[in-house]
Amino acid sequence: MRKLIINGITAILIATPWMTQADAIAELQMGYRQMGSGDFSSTGGEIIWNKEFPNPQSGQLRNCALCHTNDLSKSGKHNRTGKPIEPMAPSVNPQRLTDTRKIEKWLKRNCKWTLGRECTPQEKGDLLAFLRDH
């Protein structure tokens, strides 16, 4: 009986990051839909991830992959500071995309830095769909 309980607790602890991640993404996407966005697309998120946007101040072209890399399972590095960035793929970094407040904070900051503006609810939902699928 004790072994059964330990196995059950272990299974819950292992599954929790994925359940939390799915819940956080679903919660945010539901909010984006209430703001008027349509269906979310992993392909749409991938397009945003790789699209180059000119920085309004410097004219330098930026995209998400500049810091996070095209391979979401690999660590990235901040373009300006050189600070390491943990992999974005939840499949290799289960703590990614588990906290709605952190997700919103980083989407706001990174959209402003990369796109020169905040992302629309549609763009946010598409990006989360893209990240979730990796």
Side-chain angles (χ1 to χ4, degrees), residues 3-95:
K3 186 175 181 180
L4 182 63
I5 291 171
I6 291 172
N7 287 343
I9 291 171
T10 302
I12 290 169
L13 291 174
I14 290 171
T16 298
W18 291 281
M19 291 188 315
T20 305
Q21 173 217 12
D23 292 345
I25 291 172
E27 181 180 331
L28 288 169
Q29 287 180 327
M30 184 171 47
Y32 301 149
R33 280 187 195 93
Q34 291 173 350
M35 293 177 191
S37 66
D39 292 334
F40 300 113
S41 161
S42 182
T43 303
E46 184 175 16
I47 290 169
I48 296 166
W49 187 266
N50 292 304
K51 183 176 179 181
E52 292 186 326
F53 298 89
N55 178 276
Q57 289 84 24
S58 69
Q60 174 193 14
L61 294 176
R62 295 179 175 171
N63 68 9
C64 302
L66 182 65
C67 295
H68 294 286
T69 78
N70 284 319
D71 183 348
L72 302 179
S73 68
K74 304 287 186 215
S75 294
K77 182 172 70 170
H78 192 278
N79 185 49
R80 190 180 66 224
T81 66
K83 180 181 174 184
I85 301 172
E86 293 295 319
M88 291 300 297
S91 59
V92 296
N93 186 356
Q95 296 307 309

Side-chain angles (χ1 to χ4, degrees), residues 109-120:
R109 184 177 294 177
N110 287 338
C111 286
K112 283 184 174 184
W113 191 85
T114 305
L115 283 66
R117 60 175 172 77
E118 286 191 39
C119 287
T120 66

